[in-house]
């Protein structure tokens, strides 16, 4: 099952969904007239989903993570959330996470600055829907704050990924992603 969180220009996605048959159970969760932020959008989508535990995957990224191994690890750590991370050391963007111990516990802070930050959020996470119960319904809030709070509560684990991600949220990222896809994937089409 897939729930797409949409906002700006969501009508184009709705049109595409009507025209195509993707052979998946895909639902849309639109922010509506007021943007909800990543956290608010996911809370709204979670309310449409009967599953207690679900993946969050950023829509502007090409990720190379084994979701089955990721989920198996999540079941073993017994935390409310697990974030995939990659060693970064401020290479692609500002690093925002570090491992606290050998048990896979991580500290995450997207806006903080700390010399210990050597990993970056990879763009795929697993979370228990009860994390969102205390957040306001239909209000703007950022997912980064949710993950920061989980890490402060010792309820966020990290899953190390070694293959870099590609994102299209910036001009540089779009160019790098385009080059990667042309070199590695598009020749098969």
């Amino acid at each position: 099952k897939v729930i797409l969180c949409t906002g700006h220009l969501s009508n184009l996605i709705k049109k595409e969904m009507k025209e195509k048959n993707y052979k998946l159970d895909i639902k849309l969760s639109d922010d509506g007239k007021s943007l909800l932020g990543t956290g608010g959008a996911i809370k709204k989508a979670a309310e449409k989903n009967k599953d207690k535990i679900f993946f969050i995957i950023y829509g502007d990224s090409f990720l190379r993570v084994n979701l089955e191994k990721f989920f198996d690890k999540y079941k073993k750590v017994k935390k409310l959330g697990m974030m995939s991370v990659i060693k970064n050391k401020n290479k692609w963007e500002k690093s925002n996470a570090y491992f606290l111990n050998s048990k896979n516990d991580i500290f995450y802070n997207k806006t903080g600055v700390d010399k210990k930050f050597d990993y970056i959020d990879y763009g795929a996470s697993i979370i228990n829907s009860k994390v969102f119960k205390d957040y306001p319904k239909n209000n703007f809030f950022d997912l980064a704050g949710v993950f920061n709070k989980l890490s402060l509560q010792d309820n966020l684990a990290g899953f190390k990924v070694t293959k870099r991600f590609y994102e299209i949220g910036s001009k540089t990222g779009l160019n790098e992603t385009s080059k990667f896809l042309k070199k590695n994937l598009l020749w098969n089409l």
Side-chain angles (χ1 to χ4, degrees):
K1 291 188 278 184
V2 176
I3 299 177
L4 295 175
C5 296
T6 60
H8 182 64
L9 298 176
S10 63
N11 58 320
L12 298 176
I13 295 169
K14 287 177 189 173
K15 182 180 175 195
E16 176 75 15
M17 298 302 299
K18 286 180 183 177
E19 292 175 1
K20 306 279 186 193
N21 179 11
Y22 289 102
K23 298 179 184 175
L24 289 171
D25 179 8
I26 302 175
K27 292 181 175 59
L28 296 180
S29 179
D30 188 22
D31 277 8
K33 293 181 181 182
S34 298
L35 294 181
L36 300 174
T38 312
I42 291 170
K43 177 180 174 78
K44 185 175 181 178
E47 291 171 350
K48 294 181 177 192
N49 184 7
K50 292 186 179 15
D51 296 322
K52 228 171 93 171
I53 296 167
F54 55 90
F55 283 93
I56 298 169
I57 300 175
Y58 298 162
D60 67 349
S61 300
F62 179 76
L63 308 176
R64 298 176 291 164
V65 57
N66 184 318
L67 296 177
E68 192 172 340
K69 286 182 183 177
F70 187 18
F71 189 62
D72 287 343
K73 183 82 170 201
Y74 172 79
K75 291 185 283 189
K76 291 176 187 170
V77 298
K78 298 183 181 4
K79 302 278 184 182
L80 289 177
M82 186 171 215
M83 174 185 285
S84 60
V85 294
I86 188 168
K87 192 81 149 182
N88 181 49
K89 295 187 177 182
N90 298 319
K91 181 178 179 180
W92 296 296
E93 292 181 39
K94 187 175 84 166
S95 296
N96 54 28
Y98 63 86
F99 282 84
L100 296 167
N101 53 43
S102 60
K103 295 182 198 171
N104 300 312
D105 296 336
I106 62 170
F107 177 71
Y108 172 83
N109 188 338
K110 189 173 181 177
T111 60
V113 177
D114 192 316
K115 291 178 185 177
K116 293 180 188 176
F117 287 140
D118 54 352
Y119 283 82
I120 191 170
D121 175 8
Y122 190 75
S125 302
I126 302 171
I127 203 156
N128 187 310
S129 62
K130 68 174 136 183
V131 166
F132 294 100
K133 71 178 172 59
D134 293 331
Y135 287 90
K137 187 176 183 173
N138 294 321
N139 279 348
F140 182 95
F141 65 95
D142 193 11
L143 185 62
V146 175
F147 283 129
N148 177 250
K149 184 176 178 181
L150 281 177
S151 72
L152 291 169
Q153 295 170 341
D154 191 30
N155 238 327
L156 184 64
F159 180 79
K160 292 180 185 177
V161 178
T162 57
K163 293 179 181 175
R164 78 159 284 190
F165 62 89
Y166 289 88
E167 54 84 19
I168 59 169
S170 68
K171 190 170 184 173
T172 301
L174 183 59
N175 290 335
E176 289 176 352
T177 303
S178 179
K179 285 178 191 174
F180 172 80
L181 292 175
K182 284 177 184 173
K183 182 178 177 185
N184 295 287
L185 297 176
L186 295 180
W187 61 270
N188 286 325
L189 297 178

Coordinates of all heavy atoms in Angstrom, one line a residue, residues 39-85:
G39 N 5.8 16.8 8.6 CA 5.2 16.1 9.7 C 3.7 16.1 9.7 O 3.0 15.1 9.9
G40 N 3.1 17.3 9.4 CA 1.6 17.4 9.4 C 1.0 16.6 8.3 O 0.0 16.0 8.4
A41 N 1.7 16.5 7.1 CA 1.2 15.7 6.0 C 1.3 14.2 6.3 O 0.3 13.5 6.0 CB 2.1 16.0 4.7
I42 N 2.3 13.8 7.0 CA 2.4 12.4 7.4 C 1.4 12.0 8.4 O 0.8 10.9 8.4 CB 3.9 12.0 7.8 CG1 4.8 12.1 6.5 CG2 3.9 10.6 8.4 CD1 6.2 12.0 6.8
K43 N 1.2 12.9 9.4 CA 0.1 12.6 10.4 C -1.2 12.5 9.7 O -2.0 11.5 10.0 CB 0.0 13.8 11.4 CG -1.1 13.5 12.4 CD -1.2 14.6 13.5 CE -2.4 14.5 14.3 NZ -2.3 13.5 15.4
K44 N -1.5 13.3 8.8 CA -2.8 13.2 8.0 C -2.9 11.9 7.3 O -3.9 11.2 7.3 CB -3.0 14.4 7.1 CG -4.3 14.5 6.4 CD -4.4 15.7 5.6 CE -5.8 15.8 4.9 NZ -6.0 17.0 4.1
A45 N -1.8 11.6 6.6 CA -1.8 10.3 5.8 C -1.9 9.1 6.8 O -2.6 8.1 6.4 CB -0.5 10.2 5.0
A46 N -1.2 9.1 7.9 CA -1.3 8.0 8.9 C -2.7 7.8 9.4 O -3.0 6.6 9.6 CB -0.3 8.3 10.0
E47 N -3.5 8.8 9.5 CA -4.8 8.6 9.9 C -5.7 7.9 8.9 O -6.7 7.3 9.2 CB -5.5 10.0 10.2 CG -4.8 10.6 11.5 CD -5.3 12.1 11.7 OE1 -5.9 12.7 10.8 OE2 -4.9 12.6 12.8
K48 N -5.2 7.9 7.6 CA -5.9 7.2 6.6 C -5.5 5.7 6.5 O -6.0 4.9 5.7 CB -5.7 7.8 5.2 CG -6.3 9.2 5.1 CD -6.0 9.8 3.7 CE -6.6 11.1 3.6 NZ -6.6 11.6 2.2
N49 N -4.4 5.4 7.2 CA -3.7 4.1 7.1 C -4.0 3.3 8.3 O -3.8 3.8 9.5 CB -2.2 4.3 6.9 CG -1.5 3.1 6.7 OD1 -2.0 2.0 6.6 ND2 -0.2 3.2 6.7
K50 N -4.5 2.1 8.2 CA -4.8 1.2 9.3 C -3.6 0.6 9.9 O -3.6 0.1 11.0 CB -5.9 0.2 8.9 CG -7.2 0.8 8.6 CD -8.2 -0.2 8.4 CE -9.6 0.2 8.1 NZ -9.9 1.5 7.8
D51 N -2.5 0.6 9.2 CA -1.2 0.0 9.6 C -0.6 0.9 10.7 O -0.5 2.1 10.5 CB -0.2 -0.2 8.5 CG -0.8 -1.2 7.5 OD1 -1.4 -2.2 7.9 OD2 -0.5 -1.0 6.3
K52 N -0.2 0.2 11.8 CA 0.5 1.0 12.9 C 1.9 1.4 12.5 O 2.4 2.4 13.0 CB 0.5 0.1 14.1 CG 0.0 0.7 15.4 CD -0.2 -0.3 16.5 CE 1.1 -0.4 17.3 NZ 1.0 -1.1 18.5
I53 N 2.6 0.6 11.8 CA 4.0 0.8 11.5 C 4.1 1.0 9.9 O 3.5 0.2 9.2 CB 4.8 -0.3 11.9 CG1 4.8 -0.4 13.5 CG2 6.3 -0.2 11.4 CD1 5.4 -1.7 14.0
F54 N 4.8 2.0 9.5 CA 4.9 2.3 8.1 C 6.2 2.9 7.7 O 6.9 3.5 8.6 CB 3.7 3.1 7.6 CG 3.6 4.4 8.3 CD1 4.2 5.6 7.9 CD2 2.8 4.5 9.4 CE1 4.0 6.8 8.5 CE2 2.6 5.7 10.1 CZ 3.2 6.8 9.7
F55 N 6.6 2.9 6.5 CA 7.8 3.5 5.9 C 7.4 5.0 5.6 O 6.3 5.2 5.1 CB 8.3 2.8 4.6 CG 9.0 1.6 4.8 CD1 8.3 0.4 4.8 CD2 10.4 1.6 5.0 CE1 9.0 -0.8 5.0 CE2 11.1 0.4 5.2 CZ 10.4 -0.8 5.2
I56 N 8.4 5.8 5.7 CA 8.3 7.2 5.1 C 9.5 7.3 4.1 O 10.6 7.0 4.5 CB 8.5 8.3 6.2 CG1 7.4 8.2 7.3 CG2 8.6 9.7 5.6 CD1 7.7 9.0 8.5
I57 N 9.2 7.6 2.9 CA 10.2 7.7 1.9 C 10.0 9.0 1.2 O 8.9 9.3 0.7 CB 10.1 6.5 0.9 CG1 10.3 5.2 1.6 CG2 11.1 6.7 -0.3 CD1 10.1 3.9 0.8
Y58 N 11.1 9.8 1.1 CA 11.0 11.1 0.5 C 10.8 11.0 -1.0 O 11.4 10.2 -1.7 CB 12.3 11.9 0.7 CG 12.6 12.2 2.2 CD1 13.9 12.5 2.6 CD2 11.6 12.1 3.2 CE1 14.2 12.8 3.9 CE2 11.9 12.4 4.5 CZ 13.2 12.7 4.9 OH 13.4 13.0 6.2
G59 N 9.8 11.8 -1.5 CA 9.4 11.7 -2.9 C 10.4 12.3 -3.9 O 10.3 12.1 -5.1
D60 N 11.3 13.1 -3.4 CA 12.2 13.8 -4.3 C 13.6 13.1 -4.3 O 14.6 13.7 -4.7 CB 12.4 15.3 -3.9 CG 13.1 15.5 -2.6 OD1 13.3 14.5 -1.8 OD2 13.4 16.7 -2.3
S61 N 13.7 11.9 -3.9 CA 15.0 11.2 -3.8 C 15.0 9.8 -4.5 O 13.9 9.1 -4.5 CB 15.4 11.0 -2.3 OG 15.5 12.2 -1.7
F62 N 16.1 9.5 -5.0 CA 16.3 8.1 -5.6 C 17.2 7.4 -4.5 O 18.3 7.8 -4.3 CB 17.0 8.2 -6.9 CG 17.3 6.8 -7.5 CD1 16.3 6.1 -8.1 CD2 18.6 6.3 -7.5 CE1 16.6 4.8 -8.6 CE2 18.9 5.1 -8.0 CZ 17.8 4.3 -8.6
L63 N 16.6 6.4 -3.9 CA 17.3 5.7 -2.8 C 17.6 4.3 -3.2 O 16.8 3.6 -3.8 CB 16.4 5.7 -1.6 CG 15.8 7.1 -1.1 CD1 14.9 6.9 0.0 CD2 17.0 8.0 -0.8
R64 N 18.8 3.8 -2.7 CA 19.2 2.5 -2.9 C 19.4 1.8 -1.5 O 20.5 1.6 -1.1 CB 20.5 2.4 -3.7 CG 20.2 3.0 -5.1 CD 21.5 3.1 -6.0 NE 22.4 4.1 -5.4 CZ 23.7 4.2 -5.8 NH1 24.2 3.3 -6.6 NH2 24.4 5.1 -5.3
V65 N 18.3 1.5 -0.9 CA 18.3 0.8 0.4 C 17.4 -0.4 0.3 O 16.4 -0.5 -0.4 CB 17.7 1.8 1.5 CG1 16.3 2.3 1.2 CG2 17.8 1.2 2.8
N66 N 17.9 -1.5 0.9 CA 17.1 -2.8 0.9 C 16.1 -2.6 2.0 O 16.4 -2.7 3.2 CB 18.1 -3.9 1.2 CG 17.4 -5.3 1.2 OD1 16.3 -5.4 1.7 ND2 18.1 -6.2 0.6
L67 N 14.8 -2.4 1.6 CA 13.8 -2.2 2.6 C 13.4 -3.4 3.4 O 13.0 -3.2 4.6 CB 12.5 -1.7 1.8 CG 12.6 -0.3 1.1 CD1 11.4 0.0 0.3 CD2 13.0 0.8 2.0
E68 N 13.6 -4.6 2.9 CA 13.4 -5.8 3.6 C 14.4 -5.9 4.8 O 14.0 -6.2 5.9 CB 13.5 -7.0 2.7 CG 12.9 -8.3 3.3 CD 12.9 -9.4 2.3 OE1 12.9 -9.2 1.1 OE2 12.8 -10.5 2.8
K69 N 15.7 -5.7 4.5 CA 16.7 -5.7 5.6 C 16.4 -4.6 6.6 O 16.6 -4.8 7.8 CB 18.1 -5.6 5.0 CG 18.5 -6.8 4.3 CD 20.0 -6.7 3.8 CE 20.4 -7.9 3.1 NZ 21.8 -7.7 2.5
F70 N 16.1 -3.5 6.1 CA 15.8 -2.3 6.9 C 14.6 -2.6 7.9 O 14.7 -2.4 9.1 CB 15.4 -1.1 6.0 CG 15.2 0.2 6.6 CD1 15.7 0.5 7.9 CD2 14.5 1.2 5.9 CE1 15.5 1.8 8.4 CE2 14.4 2.5 6.5 CZ 14.8 2.8 7.7
F71 N 13.5 -3.2 7.4 CA 12.4 -3.6 8.2 C 12.7 -4.7 9.2 O 12.3 -4.6 10.4 CB 11.2 -4.0 7.4 CG 9.9 -4.1 8.2 CD1 9.4 -3.0 8.8 CD2 9.3 -5.3 8.2 CE1 8.2 -3.2 9.6 CE2 8.1 -5.5 9.0 CZ 7.6 -4.4 9.6
D72 N 13.5 -5.7 8.8 CA 14.0 -6.7 9.7 C 14.7 -6.1 10.9 O 14.6 -6.5 12.1 CB 14.8 -7.8 9.0 CG 14.0 -8.7 8.1 OD1 12.7 -8.7 8.2 OD2 14.6 -9.3 7.2
K73 N 15.6 -5.2 10.6 CA 16.4 -4.5 11.7 C 15.5 -3.7 12.6 O 15.7 -3.7 13.8 CB 17.5 -3.6 11.0 CG 18.4 -2.9 12.0 CD 19.5 -3.9 12.4 CE 20.5 -3.1 13.1 NZ 21.8 -3.7 13.2
Y74 N 14.5 -3.0 12.0 CA 13.6 -2.2 12.8 C 12.9 -3.1 13.9 O 12.7 -2.8 15.0 CB 12.6 -1.6 11.9 CG 11.4 -0.9 12.7 CD1 11.6 0.4 13.3 CD2 10.2 -1.5 12.8 CE1 10.6 1.0 14.0 CE2 9.2 -0.9 13.6 CZ 9.4 0.3 14.1 OH 8.4 1.0 14.9
K75 N 12.4 -4.3 13.4 CA 11.7 -5.2 14.3 C 12.6 -5.6 15.5 O 12.1 -5.9 16.6 CB 11.2 -6.4 13.6 CG 10.1 -6.1 12.6 CD 9.5 -7.3 11.9 CE 10.3 -7.8 10.8 NZ 9.7 -8.8 10.0
K76 N 13.9 -5.7 15.3 CA 14.8 -6.1 16.3 C 15.2 -5.0 17.3 O 15.4 -5.3 18.5 CB 16.1 -6.7 15.7 CG 15.9 -8.0 15.0 CD 17.2 -8.4 14.3 CE 16.9 -9.6 13.4 NZ 18.1 -9.9 12.6
V77 N 15.2 -3.8 16.9 CA 15.6 -2.7 17.8 C 14.6 -2.2 18.8 O 14.9 -1.6 19.8 CB 16.2 -1.5 17.0 CG1 17.4 -1.9 16.2 CG2 15.2 -0.8 16.2
K78 N 13.3 -2.5 18.5 CA 12.2 -2.1 19.4 C 12.2 -0.6 19.8 O 12.1 -0.3 21.0 CB 12.2 -3.0 20.7 CG 12.0 -4.5 20.3 CD 12.0 -5.3 21.6 CE 11.8 -6.8 21.4 NZ 11.8 -7.4 20.2
K79 N 12.3 0.2 18.8 CA 12.2 1.6 19.0 C 10.9 2.1 18.2 O 10.4 1.4 17.3 CB 13.4 2.4 18.4 CG 14.7 1.9 19.0 CD 15.0 2.6 20.3 CE 16.4 2.2 20.8 NZ 16.6 2.9 22.1
L80 N 10.4 3.3 18.5 CA 9.3 3.9 17.8 C 9.7 4.3 16.4 O 8.8 4.3 15.5 CB 8.7 5.0 18.6 CG 8.0 4.7 19.8 CD1 7.5 6.0 20.6 CD2 6.8 3.8 19.6
G81 N 10.9 4.6 16.2 CA 11.4 5.1 14.8 C 12.8 4.5 14.5 O 13.6 4.3 15.4
M82 N 13.0 4.4 13.2 CA 14.3 4.0 12.7 C 14.5 4.8 11.4 O 13.7 4.9 10.5 CB 14.4 2.5 12.4 CG 15.8 2.1 12.0 SD 15.9 0.3 12.0 CE 17.5 0.1 12.6
M83 N 15.7 5.4 11.3 CA 16.0 6.3 10.2 C 17.2 5.7 9.5 O 18.2 5.3 10.1 CB 16.4 7.7 10.8 CG 16.9 8.7 9.7 SD 17.5 10.2 10.5 CE 15.9 10.9 10.9
S84 N 17.1 5.6 8.2 CA 18.3 5.2 7.4 C 19.2 6.4 7.3 O 18.8 7.5 7.2 CB 17.9 4.7 6.0 OG 17.2 5.8 5.3
V85 N 20.5 6.1 7.4 CA 21.5 7.2 7.4 C 22.7 6.7 6.6 O 23.0 5.5 6.5 CB 22.0 7.6 8.8 CG1 20.9 8.3 9.6 CG2 22.5 6.4 9.6

